[in-house]
Amino acid sequence: MANPPATIGILSIGEMGLGIAKLLTASNYRVVTNVSDRSEDTHRRARSASVNLLPTDIALVEQADYILSIVPPRDALSIASRIEAAARSAQRQQITPLYFLDLNAVSPATSKTVAAQLSSISSIRLLDGGIIGGPPKLTDPSDAASCRYRPSIVVSGPYPLHDAPKHGQQLTQLLNIKHISADIGPASGLKMCFAAMSKGFTAIAIESFTTAERMGVLPELQAHLKEYNPSGGASAAKGLVSMPPKAYRWVAEMEEIARTMEEFGGFRRRNRGSRVSEEDEDGEGRDGKEKGGEGRGGDLFRGVSDVYRFVADETKLGQEKTESRQRGMTAEDVAALCAEAMGDQ
């Protein structure tokens, strides 16, 4: 077998990390990880993709040419801290820099915090990034050419991956990487805006289908969606079924989206005027003057975060694993389990 073009570290080997690892190993890249603190499920996934298990983060930093950070959003900063600490102790033999791709679903502000954490390590070149779409899918695990689907990986930062000395151009093409800006932040911001649309809609579907189930009108809702909004109904059903194993990850992601909308979209807390001409509760007529009220655009996605927290923490759907699904395989079952968890509320 030919020497691998480069060594790629992946933290960690979840559903997305596993798909990317399989694509890389099918292209003869050496893939390594440190999962010493992770579950047996993660160890098993790593071995299934021929990923080399390393004992420490220091070993990872010493051996990798690139590190892809693909973890739940809540863990993004801790991974960056781990890599920073490991880099201070590591004794790298490579003369080339270590590229660290922060591909987590976090806000631009969080990405800039990662950049600040790693800025003192001269051997590390950071790329802010985000993954849009699902994991790569190969029909033949040994043949990268059999990959019939791969997500879009958007990155930004001052060091384009295609300029990396260790087969950067080849890796860019293989992973479908798009460099969109020389600044840290735009790539993660694009990911946040995309996820707001897709995962925000799924949260709406959770509330809508659950409420319809509790009212006994779910079949009628589905029938009307099929007749009057077939694409929306199909998207809702698909989102509901695929959501359960990921709900716990999306709790923090929605908080990151809220932060993005506030800090970069301008949807901060503000007084909003509303004109009311109707009588108030005391029967006194309103004079049409503006009445101040508080609202915040970010509150929308904090509410979405609460929906996913409910699914992850209070329903049986929160126990689902991608590789061993038991419940929530239909939109009807998702709605039923959510309604069950609501009890007599």
Side-chain angles (χ1 to χ4, degrees), residues 209-232:
F209 275 54
T210 300
T211 301
E213 169 70 16
R214 284 167 58 86
M215 295 174 64
V217 296
L218 180 57
E220 287 75 15
L221 172 62
Q222 292 174 302
H224 280 77
L225 284 170
K226 185 175 181 179
E227 182 173 358
Y228 294 102
N229 187 4
S231 61

Side-chain angles (χ1 to χ4, degrees), residues 100-102 106-116 118-119 125-129 155-159 179-189 264:
F100 182 83
L101 281 69
D102 179 16
V106 297
S107 69
T110 299
S111 293
K112 291 177 181 179
T113 300
V114 170
L118 299 175
S119 62
R125 292 187 173 178
L126 171 69
L127 279 168
D128 163 41
V155 297
S156 62
Y159 306 108
H179 194 276
I180 65 171
S181 172
D183 299 322
I184 297 295
S188 54
F264 296 92

Side-chain angles (χ1 to χ4, degrees), residues 134-256:
K137 294 180 174 62
L138 286 78
T139 55
D140 180 352
S142 65
D143 182 9
S146 74
C147 187
R148 56 186 175 85
Y149 170 85
R150 67 193 72 194
S152 172
I153 299 181
V154 292
V155 297
S156 62
Y159 306 108
L161 194 70
H162 56 73
D163 291 339
K166 292 293 289 288
H167 297 269
Q169 183 65 47
Q170 176 185 337
L171 187 62
T172 296
Q173 294 175 351
L174 177 67
L175 295 183
N176 195 25
I177 290 175
K178 302 173 179 68
H179 194 276
I180 65 171
S181 172
D183 299 322
I184 297 295
S188 54
L190 173 58
K191 164 66 178 180
M192 293 288 92
C193 293
F194 188 93
M197 299 286 290
S198 57
K199 294 162 188 172
F201 178 74
T202 297
I204 292 172
I206 292 170
E207 291 206 353
S208 177
F209 275 54
T210 300
T211 301
E213 169 70 16
R214 284 167 58 86
M215 295 174 64
V217 296
L218 180 57
E220 287 75 15
L221 172 62
Q222 292 174 302
H224 280 77
L225 284 170
K226 185 175 181 179
E227 182 173 358
Y228 294 102
N229 187 4
S231 61
S235 295
K238 181 179 179 181
L240 289 170
V241 170
S242 64
M243 168 275 305
K246 307 169 189 175
Y248 80 97
R249 297 174 65 102
W250 293 354
V251 173
E253 183 173 345
M254 297 306 106
E255 296 283 350
E256 294 288 327

Side-chain angles (χ1 to χ4, degrees), residues 11 41 47-48 56 75 113 119 123 165 201 203 214 217 240-241 247 258 281 295 298 303-304 307 313 317 326 338:
L11 293 173
D41 285 342
R47 290 191 292 266
S48 74
T56 65
D75 299 329
T113 300
S119 62
S123 61
F201 178 74
R214 284 167 58 86
V217 296
L240 289 170
V241 170
E281 292 180 356
V304 173
V307 172
D313 295 345
L317 296 167
Q326 301 293 326
C338 289

Side-chain angles (χ1 to χ4, degrees), residues 33-45:
T33 191
N34 171 21
V35 291
S36 58
D37 62 339
R38 303 304 293 264
S39 68
E40 181 54 36
D41 285 342
T42 303
H43 283 248
R44 185 171 57 254
R45 282 194 295 268

Side-chain angles (χ1 to χ4, degrees), residues 8-10 12-13 17-18 20-22 24-25 29-35 42-54 60:
I8 316 293
I10 299 181
S12 178
I13 310 297
L18 176 64
I20 291 177
K22 288 181 176 178
L24 289 166
T25 55
Y29 283 87
R30 178 173 179 252
V31 181
V32 297
T33 191
N34 171 21
V35 291
T42 303
H43 283 248
R44 185 171 57 254
R45 282 194 295 268
R47 290 191 292 266
S48 74
S50 301
V51 175
N52 292 272
L53 305 184
L54 301 180
L60 184 71

